[in-house]
Amino acid sequence: MAAEVIYGSELAQSMRDEMKNEVLDLREKGIIPGLTVILIGDDPASKSYVLGKQRASEYVGVESDLITLPDSTSEEELLSLINELNNKEEVHGILVQLPLPAHINEQKVIETITPEKDVDGFHPINIGRMMTGKDTFFPCTPYGIIQMLKSKDIKIEGKHAVIIGRSNIVGKPVGQLLLNENATVTYCHSRTNDMEKYINQADILIVAVGMEHFINGDYIKDGAVVIDVGVNRTKEGTLTGDVEFESAKEKASFITPVPKGVGPMTITMLLHNTIKSAKIHNGVNS
Ligand code: GUN
């Protein structure tokens, strides 16, 4: 059986079109959703992500402000900038592009962004809200994955979801969101023994390790749903995922490609969170 490919790019486009209309309505009420992105240093991958965020913001009508700072920026300077943005009424979302230079404490930065503007959903308060099943800003990549599953009516409840990777940005929160949807969740990581054993039991397999073709079709269960979060640059300069697409496609029932898979959904959920924040800040319901 060859899997159906879930193109996140298509879902992202239709969600962005809906958001565009929603933002038009908000603008008529005098509400302009505002996002400020802070980029430190000149890592090419980070620059390219940030550019994608700027373009998508413009498309849906979110006012996006990019602040670029040199590698030499001190932690103190960054924290004071965040505090300024926390107090700016027209800013509804603050995103500091990760990773940060080594001399800046990432966790301190995350905790300085007020939870009310934490559109990444990385603040411990928002993580706690997610863990206790409350509504909040959910981390964008995990939230996008849930949307992709739902867009194909893929049943999550009662299914065994196996997550490969335990990062704070993807692995841990996607497991939590799947648990909130009543999946049974297993986390695998670099210290897991006999990982194949778990991969083989996965109804939903989420791979987020950042290693080119870490998984191939061999151990994937027939009919599994395979979500590839990896974005790796090949020797030839093209992008590829953590899953060897062609062999995995033969086993899976659904599979996401790289590119055009999860990536576009991450940015889309960031816009969703920013619009949600603008509505909350202005007392607009739903
Ligand atoms: N770097 C890679 N992914 C992300 C993300 O989702 N948010 C932020 N702030 N930085 C990232």
Side-chain angles (χ1 to χ4, degrees), residues 40 56 60 64 108 152 189-190 212 233 246 252 275:
I40 302 193
V60 304
S64 176
K108 218 167 172 179
K152 294 291 177 186
H189 47 79
S190 52
E212 185 176 340
R233 203 161 280 281
E246 291 307 326
I275 295 166

Side-chain angles (χ1 to χ4, degrees), residues 246-261:
E246 291 307 326
S247 63
K249 190 169 180 256
E250 291 310 308
K251 292 281 196 74
S253 57
F254 289 93
I255 190 166
T256 64
V258 178
K260 293 190 183 338

Side-chain angles (χ1 to χ4, degrees), residues 70-96:
D71 253 327
S72 57
T73 305
S74 70
E75 183 178 290
E76 201 185 348
E77 283 172 297
L78 177 58
L79 297 184
S80 104
L81 171 62
I82 292 170
N83 277 315
E84 242 175 70
L85 296 169
N86 281 343
N87 293 316
K88 260 194 173 171
E89 214 174 301
E90 67 273 26
V91 175
H92 305 111
I94 303 168
L95 181 143
V96 178

Side-chain angles (χ1 to χ4, degrees), residues 41-57:
D42 47 18
D43 173 57
S46 290
K47 268 187 173 167
S48 131
Y49 290 140
V50 164
L51 187 67
K53 286 167 189 165
Q54 297 292 109
R55 283 207 192 113
S57 297

Side-chain angles (χ1 to χ4, degrees), residues 31 144 148 163 173 181 264:
I31 301 167
M148 290 170 86
I163 323 291
E181 298 284 339

Side-chain angles (χ1 to χ4, degrees), residues 145-146 149 154-156 158-166 170-179 182-190 192-209 214-215 219-221 224-229 242-243:
I145 291 170
I146 299 291
L149 296 174
I154 292 165
K155 193 167 178 239
I156 302 173
K159 299 295 179 188
H160 185 198
V162 175
I163 323 291
I164 320 277
R166 55 173 163 178
V170 183
K172 283 184 210 166
V174 78
Q176 184 62 52
L177 288 183
L178 288 163
L179 180 64
N182 300 314
T184 301
V185 178
T186 299
Y187 287 96
C188 295
H189 47 79
S190 52
T192 299
N193 292 330
D194 302 328
M195 199 182 289
E196 298 81 6
K197 185 173 81 188
Y198 302 102
I199 295 168
N200 186 248
Q201 292 175 28
D203 300 311
I204 299 171
L205 181 68
I206 315 270
V207 193
V209 292
F214 183 76
I215 300 278
Y219 300 105
I220 293 172
K221 182 167 135 178
V225 175
V226 178
I227 307 290
D228 188 352
V229 189
D242 291 349
V243 175

Side-chain angles (χ1 to χ4, degrees), residues 104-144:
I104 300 179
N105 181 331
E106 206 160 277
Q107 199 54 32
K108 218 167 172 179
V109 169
I110 287 170
E111 291 181 24
T112 300
I113 297 171
T114 182
E116 285 77 27
K117 297 187 180 185
D118 167 38
V119 285
D120 258 329
F122 293 166
H123 193 289
I125 287 185
N126 288 329
I127 295 169
R129 291 182 63 86
M130 174 179 67
M131 289 198 78
T132 49
K134 296 198 176 77
D135 190 27
T136 187
F137 299 120
F138 299 120
C140 302
T141 302
Y143 197 15

